[in-house]
Amino acid sequence: MSSISMPQPDAAIIAKKDRIVADLARALPADTVISDPEETLAYECDALTAYRCPPLAVVLPRTTEELATAMRICHDHRAPVVPRGAGTSLAGGALPTADSVVIGTMRLNDVLEIDTANRFIRVQTGVTNLSVSAELEPAGFFYAPDPSSQLACTIAGNIGMNSGGAHCLKYGVTTNNLMGVRMVLADGRIVELGGPQPGAPGLDMLGLICGSEGQLAIVTEATLRILPRPEGARPMLIGFASPEIAGECVARIIRSGVLPVAIEYMDEVCLRAVEDFAKAGYPDCPAVLIVEVEGSEDEIADQIARIRAIADQLDPIEFRTSRNADESAAIWKGRKSAFGAMGRLGDYLCLDGTVPVSQLPHTLKRIGELSVEHGLEVANVFHAGDGNMHPLILFDANTPGDLERAEAFGRDILALCVEVGGCLTGEHGVGIEKRDLMTRQYDPQDMAIQMEIKDAFDPGWLLNPAKVFPLEVSQPHRDRAAARA
């Protein structure tokens, strides 16, 4: 059996389902509340599909005010609330409990304001990541964070997990591009933080909300920093004789002071799957880097020459520079389709840990050794420039014990990330997947401070239950919340 467990649902909440649903239905538009058991099955899991549990009910509001009304009703009934964006979480961040109400943000999909002079866009958080840049394209601007799931994932989830993407090396992750939010607290109060003006006084509460995984509030509107599109950009494809050499190349590029817009890594297992799927023209070799630079033609030429000089010291199998837009698109098509391509090989767990770039060679070597020890194949595809690794552990869900073996392998990889000076997550969040590993990264005092913040924002511990904090560590806080009720 899997070691990931969930608390027993509150039978008293389940017993008054009809009352909760009736109160929600009375206060909200007719098509907003879903309570039919068959219809709630669509919300029983997110992209961590190994774990499923239909919720008590689902609410899909269209405005901040409707969402706040739903939150107040759930708060009055002491019904737990699970925030949900597009359901692309790979860490179980939107997994419901049987006594919870899922509140989804996908109908909050309006673009509210675009101000290119002051370089911001204000949107409801149900808009997809890719659609933000699509809205900005006619004006020559873009939104920098670009997760691989950007076609489907929404701004709500990006804020919840502090998502990054291929271009985060130069432009940063969500927290570096988030200027303000409008959000709803657990008791239904609407709060605004930050805004388009830089340098807001006081505590950085916005930095606290970004990456909080729905533990503190549900964000309904966001003000995002936008950037002018660069004059030009060009990717390079560099093949190496081993993963360790590719990792060393990344470390040398970063040490040299060159700042590419992206450095992406794929290993041989991933390359085979991607080439079969996307026909991107990748070389047949143990490891590949995609390095993209941008600027004027002279700037691009200078950066390519400097990177070529670094790579040549490591005897690359192939060094290919894109010559036109079609070749650039093909290089990125392969990388962007990597997770889908790997799915054709069977079941896999996608991990998300971060290591110092200097530790990439050692970490890749050790992951290969762990693969042998656990008897499971692993593919590596990740944002190498900032050390955000995404090992994909291949297993067969129909083979008894395989999921448990994969999870044990995953725990060893994440523990390795912390051991070499990194952390448990770069952009997928903790959710339930890494929850019980939090004590590897944080000592008891660190954990206590985090849970005191949770107490302050959500005294009833009703928001996104059983996520982030190990159950045995959070039990005293949850007990106090129950006693106050």
Side-chain angles (χ1 to χ4, degrees), residues 266 270 273-274 333-343 348 381 392:
M266 287 183 285
C270 184
V274 166
K333 179 185 178 185
R335 171 60 183 90
K336 288 290 186 179
S337 64
F339 291 98
M342 287 299 301
Y348 65 78
V381 50
L392 309 180

Side-chain angles (χ1 to χ4, degrees), residues 49-64:
T49 56
Y51 299 91
R52 301 167 183 266
C53 178
L56 191 79
V58 179
V59 179
L60 303 176
R62 290 184 173 85
T63 66
T64 299

Side-chain angles (χ1 to χ4, degrees), residues 433-444:
E433 178 200 32
K434 310 180 188 78
R435 181 190 65 196
D436 297 325
L437 289 167
M438 285 284 278
T439 52
R440 293 283 193 120
Q441 183 171 336
Y442 298 104
D443 63 29

Side-chain angles (χ1 to χ4, degrees), residues 71 81 83 184-186 214-218 454 458 461-465:
M71 289 279 272
V81 168
V184 181
L185 300 178
Q215 292 290 306
L216 308 180
I218 299 181
K454 168 76 168 169
D458 178 21
W461 278 64
L462 297 175
L463 279 174
N464 218 9

Side-chain angles (χ1 to χ4, degrees), residues 19-352:
R19 286 173 52 198
I20 296 171
V21 170
D23 286 350
L24 290 168
R26 258 193 310 271
L28 297 166
D31 65 345
T32 304
V33 181
I34 300 171
S35 60
D36 182 285
E38 290 189 2
E39 294 183 19
T40 61
L41 287 176
Y43 303 89
E44 68 179 354
C45 70
D46 52 25
L48 187 67
T49 56
Y51 299 91
R52 301 167 183 266
C53 178
L56 191 79
V58 179
V59 179
L60 303 176
R62 290 184 173 85
T63 66
T64 299
E65 290 71 24
E66 287 180 3
L67 193 147
T69 296
M71 289 279 272
R72 280 193 295 272
I73 292 169
C74 291
H75 185 266
D76 290 346
H77 284 286
R78 288 201 52 78
V81 168
V82 175
R84 181 184 175 99
T88 59
S89 170
L90 291 162
L95 178 69
T97 51
D99 57 352
S100 69
V101 175
V102 168
I103 298 184
T105 58
M106 59 282 291
R107 287 181 176 171
L108 297 164
N109 54 16
D110 288 339
V111 174
L112 304 172
E113 183 181 5
I114 297 176
D115 186 336
T116 55
N118 291 299
R119 298 193 176 183
F120 74 85
I121 183 172
R122 190 165 59 89
V123 300
Q124 290 185 308
T125 56
V127 300
T128 62
N129 177 284
L130 190 61
S131 68
V132 175
S133 285
E135 288 285 338
L136 297 167
E137 190 170 2
F141 281 74
F142 74 107
Y143 175 59
D146 58 341
S148 294
S149 59
Q150 66 180 157
L151 182 65
C153 68
T154 62
I155 296 300
N158 291 175
I159 293 171
M161 304 303 178
N162 190 23
S163 301
H167 292 89
C168 67
L169 174 59
K170 182 172 183 177
Y171 295 115
V173 293
T174 300
T175 193
N176 306 113
N177 295 275
L178 180 65
M179 304 173 73
V181 298
R182 191 179 192 207
M183 64 187 194
V184 181
L185 300 178
D187 61 4
R189 284 179 292 165
I190 299 172
V191 175
E192 294 191 15
L193 299 175
Q197 296 76 28
L203 296 173
D204 181 17
M205 302 295 282
L206 194 61
L208 190 63
I209 294 300
C210 189
S212 60
E213 301 195 32
Q215 292 290 306
L216 308 180
I218 299 181
V219 178
T220 59
E221 296 179 14
T223 302
L224 309 172
R225 177 176 289 108
I226 61 175
L227 299 167
R229 287 206 166 275
E231 185 176 339
R234 191 171 305 157
M236 291 156 272
L237 195 66
I238 315 173
F240 289 98
S242 76
E244 294 81 11
I245 296 174
E248 177 61 25
C249 186
V250 174
R252 291 189 185 188
I253 290 171
I254 298 300
R255 284 199 301 267
S256 75
V258 180
L259 184 60
V261 68
I263 306 178
E264 295 292 298
Y265 172 97
M266 287 183 285
D267 70 6
E268 188 173 9
V269 178
C270 184
L271 287 168
R272 289 198 305 267
V274 166
E275 193 58 27
D276 288 344
F277 178 72
K279 305 293 190 294
Y282 288 165
D284 182 10
C285 62
V288 153
L289 297 180
I290 297 172
V291 185
E292 183 169 274
V293 296
E294 64 181 21
S296 67
E297 280 301 316
D298 287 344
E299 289 174 316
I300 288 173
D302 176 68
Q303 292 177 81
I304 290 174
R306 293 168 68 184
I307 292 168
R308 179 69 189 255
I310 292 168
D312 282 348
Q313 297 170 10
L314 298 168
D315 297 321
I317 291 172
E318 182 169 345
F319 191 105
R320 183 192 312 168
T321 302
S322 167
R323 295 168 297 185
N324 53 53
D326 288 341
E327 290 187 2
S328 295
I331 288 173
W332 279 114
K333 179 185 178 185
R335 171 60 183 90
K336 288 290 186 179
S337 64
F339 291 98
M342 287 299 301
R344 301 174 77 198
L345 301 184
D347 304 300
Y348 65 78
L349 285 182
C350 176
L351 302 182
D352 164 50

